[in-house]
Amino acid sequence: MASLTTCSRSALLLSLRNVGTRALGTSAPQLAVAKTKSSLAKPGLKNIVLVDGVRTPFLMSGTQYNKLMPHDLARQALKGLVTRTGLDKTAVDYITMGTVIQEVKTSNVAREAALGAGFSDRIPAHTVTMACISSNQALTTCEFLFF
């Protein structure tokens, strides 16, 4: 099961308030217009954009997802995120995802999912596997990558 970073928007903005952060999400539809790197940039500030959290629906183990690979599920989550927010894929600099349990056939679920969802092969991506805290840890590692 894969999920992109999920956390309370206010907590994220408070932790990053000095960095020039903007959040695009379903609760702010007026911001969900297609954005580019140049339209998001603020001179003199590092520009970290938290797009939105997205995850695959919960299902019992061994049921409907039984024949799908984790990167297939994550790919659908990424496609849904892009569709829902109107984000231009070229505006993305880094992708991180959290998984509950690492599947042995795919070493980097985030990378495979990003490529399958049509993101550039030049965009780095990594996967965090730490059980239930994975998506929160994925967000935290992104913060450290850009400071």
Side-chain angles (χ1 to χ4, degrees):
M1 184 180 312
S3 67
L4 287 175
T5 316
T6 56
C7 191
S8 110
R9 186 166 291 132
S10 59
L12 294 175
L13 293 177
L14 284 175
S15 68
L16 297 171
R17 70 178 172 266
N18 296 325
V19 186
T21 304
R22 292 185 200 103
L24 302 176
T26 54
S27 62
Q30 70 276 11
L31 294 176
V33 217
K35 303 288 183 185
T36 64
K37 288 181 185 179
S38 59
S39 69
L40 292 170
K42 271 192 168 181
L45 293 176
K46 288 187 178 186
N47 193 36
I48 298 174
V49 180
L50 307 172
V51 176
D52 200 350
V54 65
R55 60 156 295 112
T56 54
F58 285 101
L59 289 177
M60 285 182 54
S61 179
T63 59
Q64 287 92 333
Y65 294 154
N66 198 30
K67 300 215 190 281
L68 295 174
M69 297 294 289
H71 59 274
D72 294 326
L73 294 170
R75 179 184 67 236
Q76 293 305 320
L78 283 173
K79 286 181 173 182
L81 178 70
V82 169
T83 300
R84 187 169 70 199
T85 61
L87 181 70
D88 179 6
K89 291 178 188 174
T90 62
V92 176
D93 289 319
Y94 203 98
I95 296 173
T96 182
M97 300 181 107
T99 61
V100 174
I101 299 170
Q102 179 67 36
E103 182 271 324
V104 297
K105 294 179 184 174
T106 310
S107 60
N108 188 350
V109 173
R111 177 78 171 152
E112 295 297 326
L115 292 173
F119 287 89
S120 168
D121 61 351
R122 297 180 186 271
I123 299 173
H126 80 268
T127 306
V128 176
T129 305
M130 295 183 71
C132 297
I133 197 71
S134 297
S135 59
N136 291 334
Q137 185 63 41
L139 171 69
T140 304
T141 58
C142 268
E143 290 177 25
F144 290 113
L145 287 170
F146 293 102
F147 288 109

